Amino acid sequence: MKQGKILIGMILLALMQLVACERNDVDSSDSADRIGASELEGIKVATTTTVQKGESVHFALENGLSPLNFQWKVSPNQNIRVSKTNEVAAIYFPETGKYTITALDSISQDSVSLLVDVVIYDPGNDNVEIRQDFDADDILSLTPITFADSTFHLEFLAETKNNYKCNNNYMLFSRDKVQDTFVYDFLKVISPAGCATENAKSKQYIYTNEPIKDGKIYNLEITFNGKNYKGSFTRNGGNYQFTWPYDDGVIFTTKTL
């Protein structure tokens, strides 16, 4: 009888330990999900947003998260195709335009978005557009822009000093972010084919595409006419301060906001 009680006690103890282990497994899983959700910080362009027709633009998640574990949505979503690997999400855009890219965690419902300017060109069709090099003596001016109700949002108006063919021309450029450095490379001036209007300066709005954190120093790197220019900026509350040591090539119209 005594041995039977001991046996029953051992069985009950084993069951209690099993339940405790399963509870620990559930708690650990929940904890991992919470850590994974907190790591979803942003999307970055992994290649360039200027591609030939039929090529894809690659996007990656910060902190090395796998794009395979997220749903990818594009707005506007017309003839959009998405292909995912463990490193990047390759998105095929049908035409030039502004698109919002969103990565969604289907479990936690956390999401991050990125606004991008995509340029699609067809090198085999000369009737589509005219691609012009920047004049060797041209100067690119940058005007920083922010808004009173969203000072964490920063964009720039880039404008050439010289005029180029067609008054609705625009600049072809690539954009990237490497850690805390925003990188912009201005490549060409694009004019629509068959344009018969007068010449005009080339203008282009460029975006940082993420909230600018208060008190943090960001680097800014710009390539124009084959030359590289480097500076930095920081936000303090609703004010911005830009450190830019150039008075030629690429210049700022104001260094404080």
Side-chain angles (χ1 to χ4, degrees), residues 22-249:
E22 290 177 347
R23 187 181 187 110
N24 286 337
D25 288 342
V26 171
D27 290 344
S28 298
S29 177
D30 289 344
S31 175
D33 287 343
R34 288 195 295 272
I35 293 173
S38 68
E39 290 178 348
L40 185 57
E41 291 186 355
I43 303 171
K44 59 183 179 180
V45 179
T47 50
T48 176
T49 55
T50 301
V51 294
Q52 294 185 26
K53 187 175 182 180
E55 290 183 339
S56 60
V57 179
H58 291 182
F59 298 90
L61 289 168
E62 295 182 355
N63 295 328
L65 299 178
S66 172
L68 291 172
N69 298 327
F70 296 85
Q71 295 180 7
W72 290 79
K73 300 181 178 180
V74 182
S75 179
N77 185 9
Q78 296 180 348
N79 299 321
I80 298 291
R81 183 163 60 93
V82 180
S83 175
K84 297 184 291 185
T85 69
N86 198 45
E87 289 79 27
V88 298
I91 301 180
Y92 297 82
F93 298 92
E95 59 186 18
T96 295
K98 295 182 183 294
Y99 296 87
T100 299
I101 315 301
T102 300
L104 172 67
D105 187 329
S106 59
I107 297 177
S108 67
Q109 293 299 301
D110 287 345
S111 66
V112 289
S113 296
L114 178 68
L115 177 65
V116 293
D117 291 305
V118 177
V119 177
I120 308 295
Y121 65 94
D122 185 352
N125 189 346
D126 295 335
N127 294 323
V128 173
E129 61 190 16
I130 298 174
R131 299 163 62 107
Q132 307 169 75
D133 291 326
F134 293 103
D135 296 336
D137 64 342
D138 204 354
I139 295 175
L140 184 71
S141 65
L142 297 178
T143 301
I145 301 169
T146 190
F147 305 95
D149 59 345
S150 56
T151 56
F152 58 84
H153 174 86
L154 177 67
E155 61 186 68
F156 301 95
L157 172 61
E159 183 177 12
T160 61
K161 178 183 177 182
N162 294 355
N163 291 337
Y164 295 88
K165 180 177 176 61
C166 198
N167 62 9
N168 63 335
N169 65 62
Y170 62 92
M171 281 183 265
L172 179 66
F173 70 99
S174 65
R175 167 176 42 208
D176 195 8
K177 184 172 184 288
V178 181
Q179 296 181 342
D180 294 330
T181 301
F182 293 97
V183 181
Y184 301 93
D185 186 359
F186 291 86
L187 305 169
K188 301 275 186 180
V189 176
I190 305 299
S191 300
C195 177
T197 61
E198 66 276 9
N199 294 350
K201 296 179 179 180
S202 191
K203 300 180 181 180
Q204 186 76 47
Y205 284 95
I206 59 177
Y207 306 89
T208 52
N209 281 338
E210 68 177 60
I212 302 302
K213 296 180 181 179
D214 195 5
K216 184 174 182 177
I217 298 176
Y218 293 89
N219 298 313
L220 182 64
E221 184 174 333
I222 294 176
T223 300
F224 178 69
N225 259 339
K227 296 181 181 179
N228 192 253
Y229 302 84
K230 297 181 179 180
S232 62
F233 66 89
T234 186
R235 177 173 79 88
N236 293 301
N239 300 316
Y240 282 82
Q241 180 67 45
F242 298 88
T243 300
W244 195 256
Y246 308 98
D247 56 10
D248 196 13

Side-chain angles (χ1 to χ4, degrees), residues 10-29:
M10 292 176 64
I11 293 173
L12 290 174
L13 179 61
L15 289 172
M16 291 174 63
Q17 290 176 339
L18 178 61
V19 170
C21 289
E22 290 177 347
R23 187 181 187 110
N24 286 337
D25 288 342
V26 171
D27 290 344
S28 298
S29 177

